Amino acid sequence: MPKAYIGTYTKKESQGIYKVELDLQGKVKNIESAAKIENPTYLDFSTDKQYLYSVSKKDKNGAVTSFKILPDGILEELTAVEKEGNPPCYVEISRDNKYLLSANYHTGTIDSYSVVDGKLSSLLSTDIHFGSSIHPRQEKPHVHFSGFTPDNKYVFSCDLGTDEITTYTLEHGILSKRYTTYVKNGSGPRHIIFDNTLTHAFVITELTSEVIVFDYDDGKLSNPTYYATLPANFFKENKGSAIKISNNNRFIYVSNRGQDSIVVFRNNNGSLTHIQTISTYGQNPRDFNLSEDNHLAIATNETSGTITTYTVNTITGKLTAVDKEFPVPEAVCVKFY
């Protein structure tokens, strides 16, 4: 059966990370606690799926934590590396499983860590951002993403607070800044993804709810095109959240908090056409994800404490809701296993 892990906030009822099992039609068959940990709001797997990594909170410190995935799917905590201050908001491991990155919205920093046999070792380097922009939420840097390009050659970060996307190299785990790309003032870049041909990059903006499409060439972004994810007559508050791409590069998916939706675009070599907006049947969908074969999807509705499952038509790209409003407390991040 398809499985996924759900990362959560633990401010109310949640106790940590949950494991969800679906049938092939997307119906939820089982859900159980996989690990008790504080505020595991973003997750990532090692490439061999033996280990799971999570942002977390330890006592009053932020932390990143590694787990071994046991045969029954329960998570055995291996190591945690703490750092003074608020927890990070994003975590990602390199394709060779040697380095882990975390992004910290509160401190405006990116950290890199060494990984040995699935275990987190030392903090290797930190890059500190500076600056601000025009929106009230952009009073200082707010790094929301740090991750690797599909070829593992570069690291990218998105800074919601400064309207900057930064390219780094990571040599022996040490971050070195290479290029900075500036986006439209007040847009608030949140996450970036790449097609598997490494010719285009796609950014979701939180503050203006847009997808920015860039030409991509060896670490450099150019020729931005902005696409609205909301209709012109939508006037309520909205925040863009997650962005994903189908395996065949043909479809781009984004989630909106406020409209509480997943928006689907057809991608024709970097040119986007809107083809669907579908409800997440809950409030504040902070994240969603596609299964590895792209046949299923799950949206996590943080405020309503629910998930919604979908089947995905791999020909048209469109979603069909299956299980709506299935309770998972304070659900934030979802990763298919």
Side-chain angles (χ1 to χ4, degrees):
M1 288 191 296
K3 300 180 180 67
Y5 286 85
I6 310 290
T8 69
Y9 277 111
T10 55
K11 299 175 182 178
K12 299 175 182 177
E13 299 176 12
S14 173
Q15 295 187 334
I17 302 172
Y18 293 84
K19 178 171 67 77
V20 177
E21 295 180 345
L22 311 180
D23 66 18
L24 295 179
Q25 288 71 47
K27 293 282 291 182
V28 178
K29 304 303 292 182
N30 184 52
I31 181 169
E32 63 180 318
S33 173
K36 292 184 178 181
I37 183 174
E38 192 171 358
N39 282 0
T41 56
Y42 211 87
L43 314 173
D44 196 23
F45 294 113
S46 60
T47 53
D48 58 12
K49 298 294 180 70
Q50 292 189 47
Y51 304 99
L52 181 145
Y53 301 89
S54 174
V55 302
S56 58
K57 186 177 180 181
K58 295 284 187 180
D59 298 320
K60 295 183 179 181
N61 293 327
V64 288
T65 301
S66 65
F67 298 89
K68 182 174 178 58
I69 304 172
L70 301 179
D72 60 0
I74 300 301
L75 303 176
E76 177 188 358
E77 184 171 331
L78 297 177
T79 50
V81 180
E82 298 181 33
K83 189 177 181 182
E84 185 176 356
N86 288 313
C89 64
Y90 190 92
V91 66
E92 188 170 310
I93 191 165
S94 59
R95 306 297 184 269
D96 59 9
N97 300 313
K98 292 182 178 180
Y99 303 107
L100 188 86
L101 299 173
S102 69
N104 197 305
Y105 177 91
H106 303 282
T107 61
T109 55
I110 302 168
D111 292 323
S112 63
Y113 300 85
S114 59
V115 181
V116 180
D117 295 330
K119 298 178 180 179
L120 293 167
S121 185
S122 56
L123 172 65
L124 297 177
S125 70
T126 298
D127 183 62
I128 303 173
H129 286 202
F130 300 93
S132 60
S133 193
I134 63 174
H135 191 278
R137 285 184 55 199
Q138 296 178 306
E139 81 291 358
K140 66 176 185 177
H142 292 299
V143 183
H144 224 306
F145 172 94
S146 59
F148 297 88
T149 52
D151 60 1
N152 216 47
K153 187 174 180 180
Y154 294 101
V155 167
F156 273 77
S157 72
C158 293
D159 194 320
L160 182 149
T162 63
D163 289 324
E164 295 173 340
I165 302 167
T166 305
T167 310
Y168 304 84
T169 53
L170 190 74
E171 298 178 5
H172 306 292
I174 307 301
L175 290 159
S176 298
K177 191 176 295 184
R178 290 292 179 258
Y179 314 110
T180 299
T181 304
Y182 298 93
V183 300
K184 181 172 63 179
N185 286 343
S187 56
R190 181 181 170 95
H191 282 185
I192 185 170
I193 57 172
F194 297 84
D195 61 22
N196 55 31
T197 65
L198 284 175
T199 56
H200 292 95
F202 306 83
V203 173
I204 181 67
T205 68
E206 179 166 331
L207 302 179
T208 58
S209 307
E210 294 172 297
V211 176
I212 315 173
V213 183
F214 291 96
D215 292 339
Y216 176 74
D217 181 32
D218 195 30
K220 296 179 180 179
L221 303 175
S222 61
N223 301 323
T225 305
Y226 290 75
Y227 293 88
T229 68
L230 297 170
N233 61 355
F234 187 91
F235 300 111
K236 295 194 299 184
E237 182 183 7
N238 188 80
K239 293 179 284 189
S241 48
I243 184 166
K244 313 293 178 183
I245 189 169
S246 61
N247 288 341
N248 59 12
N249 299 325
R250 290 181 57 200
F251 305 105
I252 300 293
Y253 300 84
V254 301
S255 52
N256 276 323
R257 297 173 289 169
Q259 189 186 44
D260 295 336
S261 65
I262 296 176
V263 183
V264 187
F265 294 91
R266 181 178 291 110
N267 172 38
N268 181 16
N269 194 32
S271 178
L272 302 188
T273 303
H274 173 262
I275 58 174
Q276 184 188 32
T277 296
I278 186 170
S279 175
T280 62
Y281 302 94
Q283 295 175 283
N284 197 22
R286 201 175 185 95
D287 192 25
F288 71 96
N289 221 327
L290 305 172
S291 60
E292 289 191 359
D293 62 6
N294 286 193
H295 284 85
L296 300 172
I298 298 175
T300 53
N301 298 299
E302 178 195 345
T303 301
S304 54
T306 60
I307 62 172
T308 295
T309 65
Y310 305 85
T311 55
V312 184
N313 186 316
T314 57
I315 304 300
T316 68
K318 293 184 177 181
L319 307 179
T320 300
V322 179
D323 260 345
K324 306 170 185 176
E325 302 178 86
F326 194 93
V328 179
E330 303 172 82
V332 175
C333 170
V334 56
K335 292 281 187 180
F336 275 91
Y337 178 65

Coordinates of all heavy atoms in Angstrom, one line a residue, residues 159-222:
D159 N 14.4 33.6 0.0 CA 14.3 34.4 1.1 C 13.0 35.3 0.9 O 13.0 36.2 0.1 CB 15.5 35.3 1.3 CG 15.5 36.0 2.6 OD1 14.5 36.5 3.1 OD2 16.6 36.1 3.2
L160 N 12.0 34.9 1.7 CA 10.7 35.6 1.6 C 10.8 37.1 2.1 O 10.2 38.0 1.6 CB 9.7 34.9 2.5 CG 8.2 35.4 2.5 CD1 7.3 34.3 2.8 CD2 8.0 36.4 3.7
G161 N 11.8 37.3 3.0 CA 11.9 38.7 3.6 C 12.6 39.7 2.7 O 12.4 40.9 2.8
T162 N 13.5 39.2 1.9 CA 14.4 40.1 1.1 C 14.1 40.0 -0.4 O 14.7 40.7 -1.2 CB 15.9 39.8 1.3 OG1 16.2 38.5 0.9 CG2 16.2 39.9 2.8
D163 N 13.2 39.1 -0.8 CA 12.8 39.0 -2.3 C 14.1 38.5 -3.1 O 14.3 39.0 -4.2 CB 12.2 40.3 -2.9 CG 10.8 40.5 -2.4 OD1 10.1 39.6 -2.2 OD2 10.5 41.7 -2.1
E164 N 14.8 37.6 -2.5 CA 16.1 37.1 -3.1 C 16.1 35.6 -3.2 O 15.6 34.9 -2.3 CB 17.3 37.6 -2.4 CG 17.5 39.1 -2.3 CD 18.7 39.5 -1.4 OE1 19.0 38.7 -0.5 OE2 19.2 40.6 -1.6
I165 N 16.6 35.1 -4.4 CA 16.9 33.7 -4.5 C 18.4 33.6 -4.7 O 19.0 34.3 -5.6 CB 16.2 33.1 -5.7 CG1 14.7 33.3 -5.6 CG2 16.5 31.7 -5.9 CD1 13.9 33.1 -6.9
T166 N 19.1 32.8 -3.9 CA 20.5 32.8 -3.9 C 21.0 31.4 -4.3 O 20.5 30.4 -3.9 CB 21.1 33.1 -2.5 OG1 20.5 34.3 -2.0 CG2 22.6 33.2 -2.5
T167 N 22.1 31.4 -5.1 CA 22.7 30.2 -5.6 C 24.0 30.0 -4.8 O 24.8 31.0 -4.7 CB 23.1 30.3 -7.1 OG1 21.9 30.6 -7.8 CG2 23.6 28.9 -7.6
Y168 N 24.3 28.8 -4.3 CA 25.5 28.5 -3.6 C 26.1 27.2 -4.2 O 25.4 26.4 -4.9 CB 25.2 28.1 -2.1 CG 24.5 29.1 -1.3 CD1 23.1 29.2 -1.4 CD2 25.2 30.0 -0.5 CE1 22.4 30.1 -0.6 CE2 24.5 30.9 0.3 CZ 23.1 31.0 0.3 OH 22.4 31.8 1.0
T169 N 27.4 27.1 -4.0 CA 28.0 25.7 -4.1 C 28.2 25.2 -2.7 O 28.3 26.0 -1.7 CB 29.4 25.8 -4.8 OG1 30.2 26.8 -4.2 CG2 29.2 26.2 -6.3
L170 N 28.3 23.9 -2.6 CA 28.6 23.2 -1.3 C 29.8 22.3 -1.5 O 29.7 21.3 -2.0 CB 27.3 22.5 -0.8 CG 27.4 21.9 0.6 CD1 27.1 23.1 1.6 CD2 26.3 20.8 0.8
E171 N 30.9 22.8 -1.0 CA 32.1 22.0 -1.2 C 32.6 21.5 0.2 O 32.8 22.4 1.1 CB 33.2 22.9 -1.8 CG 32.8 23.4 -3.2 CD 33.9 24.3 -3.8 OE1 34.9 24.5 -3.2 OE2 33.6 24.8 -5.0
H172 N 32.6 20.2 0.4 CA 33.0 19.6 1.7 C 32.0 20.1 2.8 O 32.4 20.3 3.9 CB 34.4 19.8 2.0 CG 35.4 19.4 1.0 ND1 35.6 18.1 0.6 CD2 36.2 20.1 0.1 CE1 36.5 18.0 -0.3 NE2 36.9 19.2 -0.7
G173 N 30.8 20.4 2.4 CA 29.8 20.8 3.3 C 29.8 22.3 3.6 O 29.0 22.7 4.4
I174 N 30.6 23.1 3.0 CA 30.7 24.5 3.3 C 30.0 25.3 2.2 O 30.3 25.1 1.0 CB 32.2 25.0 3.3 CG1 33.0 24.1 4.3 CG2 32.3 26.4 3.7 CD1 32.4 24.1 5.7
L175 N 29.0 26.1 2.6 CA 28.3 26.9 1.7 C 29.1 28.1 1.2 O 29.7 28.8 2.0 CB 27.0 27.5 2.4 CG 25.9 26.5 2.7 CD1 25.0 27.0 3.8 CD2 25.1 26.1 1.5
S176 N 29.1 28.3 -0.1 CA 29.7 29.5 -0.8 C 28.8 30.1 -1.7 O 28.3 29.5 -2.7 CB 31.0 29.0 -1.5 OG 31.9 28.5 -0.6
K177 N 28.5 31.4 -1.5 CA 27.5 32.1 -2.3 C 28.1 32.4 -3.7 O 29.2 32.8 -3.9 CB 27.1 33.4 -1.6 CG 25.9 34.2 -2.3 CD 25.6 35.4 -1.5 CE 25.1 35.0 -0.1 NZ 24.6 36.2 0.7
R178 N 27.3 32.1 -4.7 CA 27.7 32.3 -6.1 C 26.9 33.4 -6.8 O 27.5 34.3 -7.4 CB 27.6 31.0 -6.9 CG 28.6 30.0 -6.5 CD 30.0 30.4 -6.9 NE 31.0 29.4 -6.5 CZ 31.8 29.6 -5.4 NH1 31.7 30.6 -4.6 NH2 32.7 28.7 -5.1
Y179 N 25.6 33.3 -6.8 CA 24.7 34.3 -7.5 C 23.5 34.7 -6.7 O 23.1 33.9 -5.9 CB 24.2 33.7 -8.9 CG 25.3 33.0 -9.7 CD1 25.2 31.6 -9.9 CD2 26.3 33.7 -10.3 CE1 26.2 31.0 -10.6 CE2 27.2 33.1 -11.1 CZ 27.2 31.7 -11.2 OH 28.1 31.0 -12.0
T180 N 23.0 35.9 -6.9 CA 21.8 36.3 -6.3 C 20.8 36.8 -7.4 O 21.2 37.6 -8.2 CB 22.0 37.5 -5.3 OG1 22.9 37.0 -4.2 CG2 20.7 37.9 -4.6
T181 N 19.6 36.3 -7.3 CA 18.6 36.7 -8.2 C 17.5 37.5 -7.5 O 17.0 37.0 -6.5 CB 17.9 35.5 -8.9 OG1 19.0 34.7 -9.6 CG2 16.9 35.9 -9.9
Y182 N 17.1 38.7 -7.9 CA 16.1 39.5 -7.3 C 14.8 39.3 -8.0 O 14.7 39.4 -9.2 CB 16.6 40.9 -7.2 CG 17.8 41.2 -6.5 CD1 19.1 41.2 -7.2 CD2 17.8 41.4 -5.1 CE1 20.3 41.4 -6.5 CE2 19.0 41.6 -4.4 CZ 20.2 41.6 -5.1 OH 21.4 41.7 -4.4
V183 N 13.7 39.1 -7.2 CA 12.4 39.0 -7.8 C 11.6 40.3 -7.5 O 12.1 41.2 -6.8 CB 11.6 37.8 -7.2 CG1 12.4 36.5 -7.6 CG2 11.4 37.8 -5.7
K184 N 10.4 40.4 -8.0 CA 9.6 41.6 -7.8 C 9.4 41.9 -6.4 O 9.1 41.1 -5.5 CB 8.2 41.3 -8.5 CG 7.2 42.4 -8.5 CD 6.0 42.1 -9.3 CE 5.3 40.9 -8.8 NZ 4.1 40.6 -9.6
N185 N 9.6 43.2 -6.0 CA 9.5 43.7 -4.6 C 8.1 43.3 -4.1 O 7.1 43.5 -4.7 CB 9.7 45.2 -4.6 CG 11.1 45.6 -4.7 OD1 12.0 44.8 -4.6 ND2 11.4 46.9 -5.0
G186 N 8.2 42.7 -2.9 CA 6.9 42.4 -2.2 C 6.3 41.1 -2.5 O 5.3 40.7 -2.0
S187 N 7.0 40.3 -3.4 CA 6.4 39.0 -3.8 C 6.7 37.9 -2.8 O 5.8 37.0 -2.6 CB 7.0 38.6 -5.2 OG 8.4 38.6 -5.2
G188 N 7.8 37.9 -2.1 CA 8.1 36.9 -1.1 C 8.3 35.5 -1.6 O 7.5 34.6 -1.4
P189 N 9.4 35.2 -2.3 CA 9.7 33.8 -2.8 C 9.7 32.8 -1.6 O 10.4 33.1 -0.6 CB 11.0 34.0 -3.5 CG 11.7 35.1 -2.9 CD 10.5 36.1 -2.5
R190 N 9.1 31.7 -1.8 CA 8.9 30.7 -0.7 C 9.7 29.4 -1.0 O 10.5 28.9 -0.2 CB 7.5 30.4 -0.4 CG 7.2 29.5 0.7 CD 5.7 29.3 0.9 NE 5.4 28.2 1.8 CZ 5.2 28.3 3.1 NH1 5.2 29.5 3.7 NH2 4.9 27.2 3.8
H191 N 9.4 28.8 -2.2 CA 10.0 27.5 -2.5 C 10.4 27.5 -4.0 O 9.7 28.2 -4.8 CB 9.1 26.3 -2.3 CG 9.0 25.9 -0.9 ND1 8.3 24.8 -0.5 CD2 9.5 26.4 0.3 CE1 8.3 24.7 0.9 NE2 9.1 25.7 1.3
I192 N 11.4 26.8 -4.4 CA 11.8 26.7 -5.8 C 11.9 25.2 -6.2 O 12.3 24.3 -5.4 CB 13.1 27.4 -6.0 CG1 13.5 27.4 -7.5 CG2 14.3 26.8 -5.2 CD1 14.7 28.3 -7.9
I193 N 11.5 24.9 -7.4 CA 11.7 23.5 -8.0 C 12.3 23.6 -9.4 O 12.3 24.7 -10.0 CB 10.4 22.7 -8.0 CG1 9.3 23.5 -8.8 CG2 9.8 22.4 -6.6 CD1 8.1 22.7 -9.1
F194 N 12.8 22.5 -9.9 CA 13.4 22.5 -11.2 C 12.8 21.4 -12.0 O 12.4 20.3 -11.5 CB 14.9 22.2 -11.1 CG 15.6 23.3 -10.3 CD1 15.7 23.3 -8.9 CD2 16.2 24.4 -11.0 CE1 16.3 24.4 -8.2 CE2 16.9 25.4 -10.3 CZ 16.9 25.4 -9.0
D195 N 12.7 21.6 -13.3 CA 12.4 20.4 -14.2 C 13.6 19.5 -14.3 O 14.7 19.9 -14.0 CB 11.8 20.9 -15.6 CG 12.9 21.7 -16.4 OD1 14.1 21.5 -16.1 OD2 12.4 22.4 -17.3
N196 N 13.3 18.2 -14.7 CA 14.4 17.3 -14.7 C 15.3 17.4 -15.9 O 16.3 16.6 -16.0 CB 13.8 15.8 -14.6 CG 12.8 15.5 -15.6 OD1 12.9 16.0 -16.7 ND2 11.9 14.6 -15.3
T197 N 15.0 18.4 -16.8 CA 15.9 18.7 -17.9 C 16.9 19.8 -17.5 O 17.8 20.1 -18.3 CB 15.2 19.1 -19.2 OG1 14.5 20.3 -18.9 CG2 14.2 18.0 -19.6
L198 N 16.7 20.4 -16.3 CA 17.5 21.5 -15.8 C 17.5 22.7 -16.8 O 18.6 23.3 -17.0 CB 18.9 21.0 -15.5 CG 19.0 20.3 -14.1 CD1 20.4 19.7 -13.9 CD2 18.5 21.1 -13.0
T199 N 16.4 23.0 -17.4 CA 16.3 24.1 -18.3 C 15.4 25.2 -17.7 O 15.4 26.4 -18.2 CB 15.7 23.7 -19.7 OG1 14.5 23.0 -19.5 CG2 16.7 22.8 -20.4
H200 N 14.5 24.9 -16.8 CA 13.6 25.8 -16.1 C 13.5 25.6 -14.6 O 13.7 24.5 -14.2 CB 12.2 25.8 -16.7 CG 12.1 26.2 -18.2 ND1 12.2 25.3 -19.2 CD2 12.1 27.5 -18.7 CE1 12.1 26.0 -20.3 NE2 12.1 27.3 -20.1
A201 N 13.3 26.7 -13.9 CA 13.0 26.7 -12.5 C 11.7 27.4 -12.2 O 11.3 28.3 -13.0 CB 14.2 27.4 -11.7
F202 N 11.0 26.9 -11.2 CA 9.7 27.4 -10.9 C 9.6 27.8 -9.4 O 10.0 27.0 -8.5 CB 8.6 26.4 -11.2 CG 8.7 25.8 -12.6 CD1 9.6 24.8 -12.9 CD2 7.9 26.3 -13.6 CE1 9.7 24.3 -14.2 CE2 8.0 25.8 -14.9 CZ 8.9 24.8 -15.2
V203 N 9.2 29.0 -9.1 CA 9.2 29.6 -7.8 C 7.7 29.9 -7.4 O 7.0 30.5 -8.2 CB 10.1 30.8 -7.6 CG1 9.9 31.5 -6.3 CG2 11.5 30.4 -7.9
I204 N 7.3 29.5 -6.2 CA 6.0 30.0 -5.7 C 6.3 31.2 -4.7 O 7.2 31.1 -3.9 CB 5.3 28.8 -4.9 CG1 3.9 29.3 -4.4 CG2 6.1 28.2 -3.8 CD1 2.9 29.7 -5.4
T205 N 5.5 32.2 -4.9 CA 5.6 33.4 -4.0 C 4.5 33.3 -3.0 O 3.4 33.1 -3.4 CB 5.6 34.7 -4.8 OG1 4.3 34.9 -5.4 CG2 6.6 34.7 -5.9
E206 N 4.9 33.6 -1.8 CA 3.8 33.5 -0.7 C 3.0 34.8 -0.7 O 1.8 34.7 -0.5 CB 4.5 33.3 0.6 CG 3.5 33.3 1.8 CD 4.1 32.8 3.1 OE1 5.0 32.0 3.0 OE2 3.6 33.2 4.1
L207 N 3.6 36.0 -0.9 CA 2.9 37.2 -0.6 C 2.1 37.7 -1.8 O 1.1 38.4 -1.6 CB 3.9 38.3 -0.2 CG 4.8 38.0 1.0 CD1 5.8 39.1 1.3 CD2 3.9 37.7 2.2
T208 N 2.4 37.3 -3.0 CA 1.7 37.7 -4.2 C 1.0 36.5 -4.9 O 0.3 36.7 -5.9 CB 2.5 38.4 -5.2 OG1 3.6 37.6 -5.6 CG2 3.1 39.7 -4.6
S209 N 1.2 35.3 -4.3 CA 0.5 34.1 -4.8 C 0.7 33.9 -6.3 O -0.2 33.7 -7.1 CB -1.0 34.1 -4.5 OG -1.2 34.4 -3.2
E210 N 2.0 33.9 -6.8 CA 2.3 33.8 -8.2 C 3.3 32.6 -8.3 O 4.0 32.3 -7.4 CB 3.0 35.1 -8.7 CG 2.0 36.3 -8.7 CD 2.7 37.6 -9.1 OE1 3.6 38.0 -8.3 OE2 2.4 38.1 -10.1
V211 N 3.4 32.1 -9.5 CA 4.5 31.2 -9.9 C 5.4 32.0 -10.9 O 4.9 32.6 -11.8 CB 3.9 30.0 -10.7 CG1 5.1 29.1 -11.2 CG2 3.0 29.1 -9.8
I212 N 6.7 32.0 -10.5 CA 7.7 32.7 -11.4 C 8.4 31.6 -12.1 O 8.9 30.6 -11.5 CB 8.7 33.5 -10.6 CG1 8.0 34.4 -9.5 CG2 9.5 34.4 -11.6 CD1 9.0 35.1 -8.6
V213 N 8.4 31.7 -13.4 CA 9.2 30.7 -14.3 C 10.4 31.4 -14.7 O 10.4 32.5 -15.3 CB 8.3 30.2 -15.5 CG1 9.1 29.2 -16.3 CG2 7.0 29.6 -15.0
F214 N 11.6 30.7 -14.5 CA 12.9 31.2 -14.9 C 13.5 30.2 -15.9 O 13.3 29.0 -15.9 CB 13.8 31.3 -13.8 CG 13.6 32.3 -12.7 CD1 12.8 32.0 -11.6 CD2 14.0 33.6 -12.9 CE1 12.6 32.9 -10.6 CE2 13.8 34.6 -11.9 CZ 13.1 34.2 -10.8
D215 N 14.3 30.8 -16.9 CA 15.2 30.0 -17.6 C 16.3 29.6 -16.6 O 16.7 30.5 -15.8 CB 15.8 30.7 -18.8 CG 14.8 31.0 -19.9 OD1 13.7 30.2 -19.9 OD2 15.0 31.9 -20.7
Y216 N 16.9 28.4 -16.7 CA 17.9 28.0 -15.8 C 19.1 27.5 -16.6 O 18.9 26.7 -17.5 CB 17.4 26.9 -14.8 CG 18.5 26.3 -14.0 CD1 19.0 27.1 -12.9 CD2 19.1 25.1 -14.2 CE1 20.0 26.6 -12.1 CE2 20.1 24.6 -13.4 CZ 20.6 25.4 -12.3 OH 21.6 24.9 -11.5
D217 N 20.3 27.9 -16.2 CA 21.5 27.5 -16.9 C 22.7 27.5 -15.9 O 23.1 28.6 -15.5 CB 21.8 28.3 -18.1 CG 23.1 27.9 -18.8 OD1 23.4 26.7 -18.8 OD2 23.8 28.8 -19.4
D218 N 23.1 26.3 -15.5 CA 24.3 26.2 -14.6 C 24.4 27.1 -13.5 O 25.3 27.9 -13.3 CB 25.5 26.3 -15.5 CG 26.8 25.8 -14.8 OD1 26.7 24.9 -14.0 OD2 27.9 26.4 -15.1
G219 N 23.3 27.1 -12.6 CA 23.3 27.9 -11.4 C 22.7 29.2 -11.6 O 22.4 29.9 -10.6
K220 N 22.4 29.7 -12.8 CA 21.9 31.0 -13.0 C 20.4 31.0 -13.5 O 20.0 30.2 -14.3 CB 22.7 31.7 -14.1 CG 24.2 31.9 -13.7 CD 25.0 32.6 -14.8 CE 26.4 32.8 -14.4 NZ 27.2 33.5 -15.5
L221 N 19.7 32.0 -12.9 CA 18.3 32.2 -13.3 C 18.1 33.4 -14.1 O 18.8 34.4 -13.8 CB 17.4 32.3 -12.0 CG 17.5 31.2 -11.0 CD1 16.6 31.5 -9.7 CD2 16.9 29.9 -11.6
S222 N 17.3 33.4 -15.1 CA 17.1 34.5 -16.0 C 15.7 34.5 -16.6 O 15.0 33.5 -16.5 CB 18.1 34.5 -17.1 OG 18.0 33.4 -17.9

